[in-house]
Amino acid sequence: MAACRRVQPLLLLMSVCLLAVQSLKPPPGFGNVHPPALAKHQQLKAAILNPGNNAAAAAAAASSGSQTRRSSSWKLAEEQACRDDVTRLCAKHTWTNNLSVLECLQDKKEDTEIASDCNHLLWNYKLNLTTDPKFESVALEVCTSTMLELKECADEERGKGYLMSCLVDHRANITERQCHQYITKMTSIVFSDYRLICGFMDKCREDINTLQCGSISVGEKDLHSQGDVIACLERALVREAEQQDKAHQIKDQCKKSIMRVAELSADDFHLDRYLYFSCRDDRERFCENTQVGEGRVYKCLFNHKFEEAMSEKCRNALTTRQKLIAQDYKVSYSLAKACKADLRKYRCNPDTSMPRAREARLSYLLLCLESAVHRGRTVSGDCQAEMLDYRRMLMEDFSLSPEIVLHCRGEIEAHCSGLHRKGRTLHCLMRVARGDTGKGAVDNLCQTALQTLIQSADPGADYRIDRALNEACESVIQTACKHIRNGDPMILSCLMEHLYTEKMVQDCEHRLLELQYFISRDWK
């Protein structure tokens, strides 16, 4: 029973949320078209688990009493409010299946016009799906084995949505095929609208109003696409870390809710609705063959973030996601999964009783695991690969470090503006700190921020982490250091040995000296 309170906000059936209860009222003007209650248990189960089974889907929409005859064939596609949109946007073979039509319409681009009446009907239909107590009984049936394994979920109080919340939170560990399929369906439906997420509206209402995050949507009539609201709050959370007292301070409960939503959407980019819509074309361009799930699409898009063909809207959405990862490593599904055992083994999880800035969490964990590696301890290959990716990410984009943004803003504006991509801004700051510009040293806080970032990324252990250095020194490595294994720490020593020889090139010399200045100041 504690799941929803213990980890906020898990997905909770909206029967426990006042806003949703109020929304149960049929939309004005719809008369008798409000989606009927889903009646027969087995037909409901068949409709969810076999969305291609049109007969089962139609039967699952049946209502009881005098409406049975009319409702047994009730279909979203046939309602006047949505008929034109379904015909225009959805494949014909899906029209007889309500869940397929719902998935089709809610996954269309934000700039696709869907009638406001249809949006309203979709909202009420989704609300019925997520509030009907029969869905909990279906979960008990299709997740029988899972319930035996997850005692924590089996002990949840029935009839209040805690069971569904618990199963969604543990969905990454569910191996039972039908159960996983069922939970995935419900997750997709609920994540399409922030008001269907347990407690989110209650905990963030004040911040939504203060930050005017609701005003960036079309308005209250637009009940279809709600990703902008959460994205607005995420950007505000990032600004708070980068500007501190100058930015609006989001309430702690809302912060936890924002980060929890980001964590729950870490495995499937469809669940981050703003990023999903912002990056749909880019996903098709760069990651068309990347399988959805386990954070793979996120990682693929991260790797292409600075490509010239990447849209600015997608690049900005990806950067916000990366900044959330810098605040909470669990927002990266792949990192959290690959390093879970090592983090526990070497006690790297931050002590929550200690005063530690939220933005320091990723760097703290990287430093802890790097320390274990340097001491000769065993860290799994998968975890080290994830660490390499995120160390490279931190070196490539200075804006992912809130301390750099906060304390080096003046130096960046004065000496390094316009050099944002591929680690060039960071190397420019190193050059200023080293005194090469002749325009004075950097501020002590900026110097400390740079030193902390270099320690976290640890490019001395693998030169490939530093993209600017890697690109500048590639020709030297291929000639002077070709006898050393790729990625070996000795490559940096080899480059230093050839610093003033004929094999060295000017760009490599500059990048090497800039980095070496900070590495030599770190006794570790």
Side-chain angles (χ1 to χ4, degrees):
M1 176 174 149
C4 189
R5 296 190 298 271
R6 184 179 57 255
V7 184
Q8 295 287 354
L10 297 185
L11 304 183
L12 182 62
L13 304 187
M14 289 295 291
S15 56
V16 302
C17 299
L18 177 59
L19 181 64
V21 173
Q22 293 170 341
S23 300
L24 275 168
K25 299 175 182 177
F30 274 86
N32 203 25
V33 304
H34 187 75
L38 304 181
K40 297 182 180 179
H41 176 80
Q42 290 300 327
Q43 291 172 333
L44 173 62
K45 174 184 170 185
I48 298 168
L49 298 178
N50 302 291
N53 185 336
N54 298 335
S63 68
S64 58
S66 60
Q67 289 187 334
T68 300
R69 183 176 57 82
R70 177 189 180 279
S71 302
S72 61
S73 58
W74 185 89
K75 299 180 182 65
L76 274 170
E78 294 178 357
E79 288 299 330
Q80 183 177 355
C82 290
R83 188 182 303 143
D84 291 343
D85 291 323
V86 173
T87 304
R88 178 166 51 92
L89 299 171
C90 304
K92 189 171 183 178
H93 71 272
T94 67
W95 294 356
T96 56
N97 186 297
N98 289 341
L99 288 176
S100 295
V101 168
L102 175 60
E103 288 180 332
C104 164
L105 293 180
Q106 75 174 19
D107 279 351
K108 291 302 174 186
K109 294 181 182 178
E110 290 179 307
D111 54 9
T112 298
E113 292 185 2
I114 296 178
S116 59
D117 284 351
C118 183
N119 275 325
H120 204 166
L121 184 60
L122 292 175
W123 158 254
N124 279 277
Y125 181 62
K126 287 190 289 187
L127 186 61
N128 273 3
L129 289 181
T130 53
T131 55
D132 197 311
K134 297 179 184 65
F135 274 77
E136 188 172 277
S137 62
V138 172
L140 289 170
E141 180 174 340
V142 300
C143 298
T144 305
S145 299
T146 300
M147 298 294 285
L148 293 174
E149 297 171 6
L150 297 175
K151 187 176 184 301
E152 174 179 6
C153 295
D155 292 341
E156 297 290 7
E157 183 179 352
R158 301 288 185 264
K160 294 189 176 180
Y162 297 143
L163 172 62
M164 190 65 68
S165 299
C166 186
L167 289 172
V168 167
D169 192 41
H170 289 87
R171 70 185 188 277
N173 301 320
I174 295 176
T175 56
E176 199 173 1
R177 187 185 66 83
Q178 284 192 329
C179 181
H180 191 275
Q181 187 178 358
Y182 172 75
I183 298 303
T184 299
K185 282 281 185 188
M186 293 302 295
T187 304
S188 174
I189 291 169
V190 174
F191 261 79
S192 65
D193 193 317
Y194 73 96
R195 289 164 301 180
L196 288 176
I197 300 172
C198 167
F200 191 90
M201 188 63 180
D202 291 336
K203 291 176 176 58
C204 292
R205 186 190 309 275
E206 185 176 331
D207 292 298
I208 289 173
N209 290 331
T210 302
L211 294 163
Q212 296 187 326
C213 286
S215 64
I216 57 178
S217 299
V218 177
E220 274 303 306
K221 289 184 178 179
D222 181 10
L223 301 176
H224 169 62
S225 178
Q226 297 291 332
D228 278 342
V229 176
I230 292 179
C232 176
L233 289 171
E234 289 175 344
R235 290 192 293 269
L237 190 61
V238 167
R239 283 197 305 273
E240 182 180 333
E242 294 174 349
Q243 300 176 17
Q244 293 189 354
D245 295 340
K246 296 180 181 179
H248 168 74
Q249 303 294 304
I250 298 175
K251 292 187 178 301
D252 287 342
Q253 287 300 313
C254 183
K255 285 181 183 178
K256 292 177 182 177
S257 295
I258 295 168
M259 297 307 295
R260 190 57 188 155
V261 169
E263 289 176 13
L264 287 170
S265 61
D267 63 329
D268 185 352
F269 90 117
H270 289 95
L271 303 181
D272 185 334
R273 303 300 289 177
Y274 182 81
L275 186 145
Y276 172 68
F277 286 119
S278 298
C279 295
R280 285 188 66 176
D281 291 341
D282 299 283
R283 187 273 171 99
E284 292 174 7
R285 186 180 300 117
F286 297 113
C287 308
E288 182 181 8
N289 298 321
T290 303
Q291 186 178 357
V292 174
E294 299 190 352
R296 286 184 287 262
V297 175
Y298 285 122
K299 290 199 69 175
C300 176
L301 289 170
F302 288 160
N303 290 334
H304 292 280
K305 191 176 84 165
F306 288 130
E307 299 282 350
E308 293 297 330
M310 174 69 73
S311 71
E312 196 65 25
K313 187 173 185 180
C314 180
R315 184 180 293 122
N316 291 338
L318 292 171
T319 299
T320 298
R321 185 87 194 178
Q322 289 176 320
K323 289 179 178 181
L324 293 178
I325 293 172
Q327 294 191 27
D328 178 1
Y329 77 96
K330 292 180 182 177
V331 178
S332 168
Y333 178 91
S334 54
L335 178 65
K337 180 181 179 182
C339 296
K340 182 177 181 179
D342 293 298
L343 290 170
R344 186 186 303 113
K345 182 178 180 180
Y346 299 115
R347 299 180 180 179
C348 292
N349 290 305
D351 183 349
T352 54
S353 65
M354 293 176 61
R356 180 176 291 112
R358 177 184 289 274
E359 64 267 19
R361 288 182 179 175
L362 176 62
S363 58
Y364 172 83
L365 296 170
L366 290 176
L367 283 169
C368 181
L369 291 172
E370 287 161 17
S371 177
V373 172
H374 292 322
R375 293 197 307 270
R377 307 291 177 83
T378 301
V379 173
S380 72
D382 287 344
C383 181
Q384 290 202 48
E386 288 294 325
M387 289 168 59
L388 184 70
D389 284 344
Y390 282 97
R391 288 155 59 194
R392 184 186 294 118
M393 181 182 83
L394 291 172
M395 287 293 293
E396 185 174 72
D397 188 348
F398 79 93
S399 73
L400 303 185
S401 171
E403 297 90 350
I404 298 288
V405 176
L406 179 63
H407 299 305
C408 300
R409 184 176 286 110
E411 287 80 0
I412 292 172
E413 291 175 355
H415 308 296
C416 307
S417 61
L419 300 175
H420 185 76
R421 301 180 181 185
K422 301 180 182 179
R424 292 196 290 264
T425 301
L426 191 58
H427 268 273
C428 175
L429 287 170
M430 293 181 196
R431 185 165 66 252
V432 175
R434 192 169 176 267
D436 290 354
T437 61
K439 297 182 179 180
V442 301
D443 177 85
N444 286 338
L445 290 173
C446 179
Q447 179 97 7
T448 301
L450 284 168
Q451 193 74 47
T452 300
L453 177 58
I454 299 301
Q455 286 177 349
S456 303
D458 195 15
D462 190 336
Y463 74 96
R464 296 172 298 178
I465 292 167
D466 188 340
R467 183 168 176 175
L469 176 72
N470 192 5
E471 292 182 355
C473 297
E474 184 177 5
S475 62
V476 183
I477 293 169
Q478 294 301 322
T479 55
C481 309
K482 62 182 179 181
H483 60 288
I484 303 176
R485 179 175 57 84
N486 195 25
D488 193 300
M490 290 305 296
I491 286 184
L492 209 57
S493 298
C494 174
L495 290 171
M496 289 301 296
E497 289 172 6
H498 290 85
L499 190 58
Y500 300 112
T501 69
E502 69 280 358
K503 292 183 178 180
M504 180 57 61
V505 297
Q506 189 176 48
D507 281 350
C508 179
E509 177 183 329
H510 290 163
R511 303 296 86 77
L512 191 60
L513 289 173
E514 289 155 7
L515 180 62
Q516 190 64 22
Y517 173 78
F518 278 89
I519 291 178
S520 64
R521 293 165 67 87
D522 182 4
W523 64 270
K524 289 183 288 184

